[in-house]
Amino acid sequence: MKTLIGNAIASIQVGVEDHVSADPRRVLSAVRNVSAGVLLLFKERLRQLSPSGSDEVLIKQSIRPTRDSADHIAFIGAGSKTVDVQQIKERFKALNIHTDWRRVDAIIKVRNEVEHYVSTESDNRVKELIADTFAVVRDFVANELGAEAHELLGDETWQVMLDVSDVYEGQRQECLNALERLKWWSPGMARAATHLRCGHCSSDLVKPFEITPQLSGTERLVCTACSGTMSLESVIQPALDECFFADQYYAMTQGGESALDYCDNCDSHSYIVEDELCGKCGQSHQFSRCGRCSQALSGEDQRMGGLCGYCHHLMQKVD
């Protein structure tokens, strides 16, 4: 009888076999199989934690309460559908189960691209995926399943994943070193640069086409995964959004100042508040505080001639 852990191992093993195959058609299969294997590992941990007699409640999408003759309440799994990615995240958080969700989200993103948007993936893009899978599997199996990943997956599969990961990490570090040599406008923009991705294949193996003495924002980048070129200006906004996502989410849900603001100069939501300049065009707000009440001004306030929205409204009424 097949088990979740057995299916997880088989999926990752087949995915790695797909990757090393000379048949280019198996590239897409590699993406599907390794991503499926990671999610099955997560479900295995939830299965292990499900109480006895609960019909593996923690991996089921639907849960229903039951009551016995002594009025004891329990919850059991209902139906055959298992948890999706968002439900896994929610249950991991509730149960204090840890994994590298940044890497997992990248794995799922590539899988979704393959299934819904793009028909092919470059070899280097798949290397990136397998490198992320390697890191996730290694840590999750050791820290949450209490086992050794190389023993579960077998020496052959593990060695391929190790080799691919080493190659990818080497290329990634080379790109990061080159990006560090650019004269970024601010610390926040330098942080965002580590989140740059190719506008053609979404790989993070991008680096400057050449190192310039001063940053203009129009520098050309080259992707070492697909050889595509693009301007820094065309890919900086997604990098800013990814870099400051956690800060933005916290401000939106818990309150406080937003990490990114609207830039009146380039009409983008790319103004880095902590640096007081735009990560896309390098310009600072013309007005920092309201000339009437001294309240801090946002990007949207810049068009009001140095006044906040309230004071601008009052002045219009006076006129």
Side-chain angles (χ1 to χ4, degrees), residues 174-184 193 196 205-212 215 219-224 229-230 232:
E174 178 186 326
C175 291
L176 289 174
N177 291 342
L179 289 169
E180 285 180 0
R181 294 170 58 196
L182 287 178
K183 307 298 183 183
W184 299 107
L196 287 169
L205 298 178
V206 296
K207 62 182 181 179
F209 194 78
E210 62 179 353
I211 306 299
T212 54
L215 195 73
E219 281 76 12
R220 302 297 295 175
L221 302 176
V222 60
C223 175
T224 62
T229 61
M230 69 225 77
L232 172 61

Side-chain angles (χ1 to χ4, degrees), residues 1-5 43-64 75-83 91:
M1 181 177 178
K2 290 185 177 180
T3 62
L4 267 179
I5 189 66
K43 292 179 183 181
E44 168 62 15
R45 183 56 177 148
L46 291 174
R47 187 199 66 78
Q48 290 178 355
L49 293 173
S50 297
S52 177
S54 69
D55 195 18
E56 301 178 336
V57 62
L58 291 177
I59 67 170
K60 296 297 180 65
Q61 282 194 8
S62 297
I63 298 173
R64 62 183 178 87
F75 292 88
I76 63 173
S80 59
K81 289 186 177 180
T82 57
V83 286
R91 295 182 190 184

Side-chain angles (χ1 to χ4, degrees), residues 35-261:
S35 58
V38 169
L39 295 181
L40 286 170
L41 280 179
F42 292 170
K43 292 179 183 181
E44 168 62 15
R45 183 56 177 148
L46 291 174
R47 187 199 66 78
Q48 290 178 355
L49 293 173
S50 297
S52 177
S54 69
D55 195 18
E56 301 178 336
V57 62
L58 291 177
I59 67 170
K60 296 297 180 65
Q61 282 194 8
S62 297
I63 298 173
R64 62 183 178 87
T66 62
R67 185 175 65 176
D68 62 18
S69 57
D71 278 347
H72 294 142
I73 303 297
F75 292 88
I76 63 173
S80 59
K81 289 186 177 180
T82 57
V83 286
D84 58 24
V85 176
Q86 185 56 40
Q87 288 175 310
I88 293 173
K89 286 185 176 182
E90 292 169 356
R91 295 182 190 184
F92 272 25
K93 183 177 181 180
L95 297 167
N96 200 30
I97 302 172
H98 301 288
T99 191
D100 187 345
W101 280 113
R102 183 188 66 81
R103 291 182 184 270
V104 175
D105 287 340
I107 294 169
I108 301 304
K109 182 175 183 291
V110 176
R111 183 202 65 184
N112 290 343
E113 288 172 353
V114 166
E115 292 183 346
H116 302 294
Y117 300 109
V118 289
S119 57
T120 60
E121 286 291 340
S122 69
D123 183 62
N124 276 326
R125 184 70 167 117
V126 178
K127 284 180 181 177
E128 180 181 343
L129 170 76
I130 292 178
D132 279 338
T133 303
F134 170 85
V136 170
V137 170
R138 178 194 61 206
D139 294 340
F140 190 81
V141 169
N143 298 332
E144 298 295 341
L145 297 181
E148 293 293 335
H150 69 88
E151 292 178 358
L152 283 179
L153 294 173
D155 290 338
E156 184 176 350
T157 297
W158 192 243
Q159 189 59 52
V160 172
M161 294 183 76
L162 181 61
D163 292 342
V164 169
S165 181
D166 285 345
V167 170
Y168 164 75
E169 293 297 344
Q171 290 180 304
R172 174 64 172 154
Q173 192 58 54
E174 178 186 326
C175 291
L176 289 174
N177 291 342
L179 289 169
E180 285 180 0
R181 294 170 58 196
L182 287 178
K183 307 298 183 183
W184 299 107
W185 292 320
S186 70
M189 195 178 182
R191 282 171 52 202
T194 64
H195 296 269
L196 287 169
R197 287 189 173 274
C198 174
H200 306 287
C201 73
S202 298
S203 172
D204 62 359
L205 298 178
V206 296
K207 62 182 181 179
F209 194 78
E210 62 179 353
I211 306 299
T212 54
Q214 296 294 329
L215 195 73
S216 67
T218 60
E219 281 76 12
R220 302 297 295 175
L221 302 176
V222 60
C223 175
T224 62
C226 71
S227 300
T229 61
M230 69 225 77
S231 68
L232 172 61
E233 183 182 26
S234 68
V235 293
I236 190 63
Q237 185 67 59
L240 288 166
D241 292 338
E242 182 176 334
C243 178
F244 293 100
F245 173 81
D247 298 321
Q248 291 286 91
Y249 181 79
Y250 185 87
M252 181 177 65
T253 57
Q254 305 297 323
E257 189 175 43
S258 179
L260 294 178
D261 192 12

